[in-house]
Amino acid sequence: MFPRETIPAGPVVLRGLTPGDAGAIVRACADPEIVRFVPAVPVPYTRDDASAFLKSSEREWEAGGVVFAVADPDTGAWLGNIGLKPPGPRGAVEIGYLIAPWARGRGAATAATRALTEWAFSHGTHRVDLLAGVENLASQRVALAAGFTREGVRRGDEPLRDGSRGDLVSFARLRTDSGERIRPYLPPLPGGALSDGVVRLTPLTAADAADRLALESLPDVMAHHVPPGAPDPAENEEFCREAGMLWLAGSRAELVIRDAADGAFAGSIQLAMVIPPLGQAMTGYSLRPEFRGRGLATRAVNLLVEWAFTSTALARVVAGTDPGNTASHRVLERAGFTRDAVLHGFLPGPGGTRRDDLQWYRLRPGGGQTGF
C-alpha cells in the first residue's frame, strides 16, 4: 500500500483530494479537450459526478492505488488530478492525469507525472506505464518530457463514447531508466508552421482528411502510389488521425502545402522512411492541378529540407521518381537535389509489373551531422 502524504512537484504540489475541490473539477470537466480525450468523463459533468469521483478515489486508495490533486503550491487551489492504478499481476502500475484548462502551458502535467513516478519508484515500484490516445499529442509530449519511452501502439484498447474502440500509444518508465526528457527526433515546427511568404507548410491533421483523399484520388497521383491504385477512405482517415503521433515517434513528418495568401490546401509533402543511424529520410510531394506550374512544390521542398538540416540530425534527404516524370525532376533540381542512380525494377507497378526508380539526393551543407 502506498502512504498518504503530500508530494512536492516543482511548480505544483500533489495533495489529497477534498470535498472543496468539487466545484473546480466540475468546471474543468466541461472543457472540450477533456471531453474529447477522456471518454470516462460523463457529459454533461455535474456536481454529483464530482462527488462520485471523490468517493471512488477513496476506494482506489483502499484497492492499492493512489489519487492526488495537482494543486497550486502557494494557494492549494485544485489544478488537476493524477493517480496510479493498483499494481497489476506483474507489479507494474499505470499513471493517469487530468489537468484543468486554466493550469496548462506551465509544465504542471510533466512536473506532476515526473514527481509521482519517482515517488512510486521510491516505494518499490519497478515499472510505471502511461497510455495516451493516438490523437492526444499533448499527453504524448508529457510522457516524453517526463522520461517515458514510447513502446508501441495498443490496438483497440480504449473504449470510446460511441461504443467503438480506439488505439492507445504505450509509454513506460523503469526504475533503472535515467528519467531524462526524451526529445523527439523530429521536433515541432517553429511556431507550428514553415513559410516563405508564398507557401506555408503545416502538420497534417484529421481536419485535412477530405482534402488529402481528393488529392490522392487524382489519376496522375494514383499512378505514382506505391503500389499504384486508389486510396481507401477509411485508411486515409486513419492516416490523417495518426500523423501527429508518427511525427512525435520520429518515423515520419506529414505536412500540408498551403497557399500562404489564403491558407488553401494546395498539396502534401513529407519526410518519410526516417533512418536515424544513417541520418537519412525520404521526401515526396503532390500538388492539386490548379496549384501546379507556380513553383510551389520547389518552395515546399526547400522549406522542408532546410528545416530538416537546421532542426534535426538528418544529413541526407533522398527522393525517388519515375524516370519519365520530368516535372518532378525539375522540382528536385531547382531544390538543390542531385541525380543519383536508377534502381531497376525497384517499385511495384500495376498488374504485378515492376517499375524503375530514379533516385535523387541532397546533403546537409558540409556533409556532416550537427548535435541535437
Side-chain angles (χ1 to χ4, degrees):
M1 300 289 286
F2 292 109
R4 297 195 183 215
E5 56 189 0
T6 298
I7 305 172
V12 295
V13 65
L14 311 186
R15 61 159 174 82
L17 287 158
T18 70
D21 297 323
I25 293 173
V26 171
R27 282 195 296 131
C29 289
D31 174 59
E33 289 296 289
I34 290 177
V35 170
R36 179 186 179 195
F37 291 123
V38 189
V41 169
V43 179
Y45 196 89
T46 67
R47 189 88 181 195
D48 288 342
D49 293 317
S51 297
F53 166 73
L54 293 171
K55 291 177 182 177
S56 70
S57 70
E58 285 300 311
R59 294 193 295 271
E60 194 79 357
W61 279 98
E62 294 166 2
V66 306
V67 184
F68 288 98
V70 179
D72 185 289
D74 298 322
T75 67
W78 181 94
L79 302 175
N81 298 321
I82 191 167
L84 301 170
K85 291 184 179 180
R90 296 181 177 83
V93 298
E94 180 186 330
I95 194 168
Y97 43 80
L98 178 154
I99 300 296
W102 58 86
R104 296 173 193 158
R106 51 178 168 172
T110 297
T113 300
R114 180 177 293 279
L116 186 57
T117 298
E118 292 171 355
W119 179 83
F121 290 151
S122 73
H123 288 87
T125 299
H126 73 282
R127 174 185 168 101
V128 178
D129 291 313
L130 190 160
L131 302 175
V134 294
E135 293 184 74
N136 192 347
L137 303 184
S139 189
Q140 294 173 46
R141 293 188 188 103
V142 166
L144 294 171
F148 282 69
T149 298
R150 184 185 188 275
E151 295 186 333
V153 176
R154 294 168 57 152
R155 297 177 299 145
D157 201 34
E158 182 179 38
L160 302 178
R161 294 186 187 277
D162 62 3
S164 64
R165 301 193 69 85
D167 298 343
L168 291 169
V169 188
S170 176
F171 296 84
R173 186 171 153 191
L174 306 182
R175 182 164 37 188
T176 53
D177 290 342
S178 70
E180 294 180 4
R181 173 189 291 266
I182 297 174
R183 299 189 181 278
Y185 188 82
L186 299 174
L189 302 180
L194 300 173
S195 181
D196 64 359
V198 176
V199 298
R200 186 166 180 262
L201 307 185
T202 61
L204 180 75
T205 71
D208 301 308
D211 284 326
R212 183 180 184 274
L213 180 63
L215 174 68
E216 295 295 310
S217 299
L218 294 172
D220 60 346
V221 174
M222 286 192 294
H224 294 100
H225 286 174
V226 180
D232 178 87
E235 290 179 358
N236 175 74
E237 186 106 9
E238 181 179 23
F239 183 88
C240 294
R241 286 199 313 269
E242 294 183 349
M245 173 194 71
L246 295 174
W247 190 314
L248 271 177
S251 59
R252 65 188 298 139
E254 286 286 339
L255 303 100
V256 172
I257 304 172
R258 299 188 183 280
D259 187 322
D262 59 10
F265 184 106
S268 68
I269 189 170
Q270 65 281 138
L271 280 178
M273 299 181 68
V274 178
I275 310 174
L278 297 182
Q280 178 177 290
M282 173 176 281
T283 191
Y285 41 86
S286 300
L287 283 179
R288 290 168 51 184
E290 62 267 36
F291 290 97
R292 297 173 189 169
R294 295 163 46 184
L296 302 189
T298 298
R299 289 175 176 273
V301 172
N302 265 321
L303 279 171
L304 184 57
V305 173
E306 288 167 9
W307 168 79
F309 288 159
T310 58
S311 301
T312 82
L314 291 170
R316 188 173 193 263
V317 176
V318 300
T321 63
D322 186 295
N325 191 349
T326 56
S328 189
H329 302 166
R330 286 195 292 269
V331 166
L332 294 169
E333 288 170 343
R334 289 194 295 264
F337 280 69
T338 299
R339 178 172 172 154
D340 196 356
V342 176
L343 303 182
H344 297 283
F346 184 67
L347 299 175
T353 60
R354 305 292 299 182
R355 301 185 305 185
D356 295 345
D357 187 43
L358 174 55
Q359 296 269 303
W360 300 75
Y361 69 92
R362 180 171 160 183
L363 301 179
R364 175 198 297 278
Q369 295 188 6
T370 60
F372 290 92

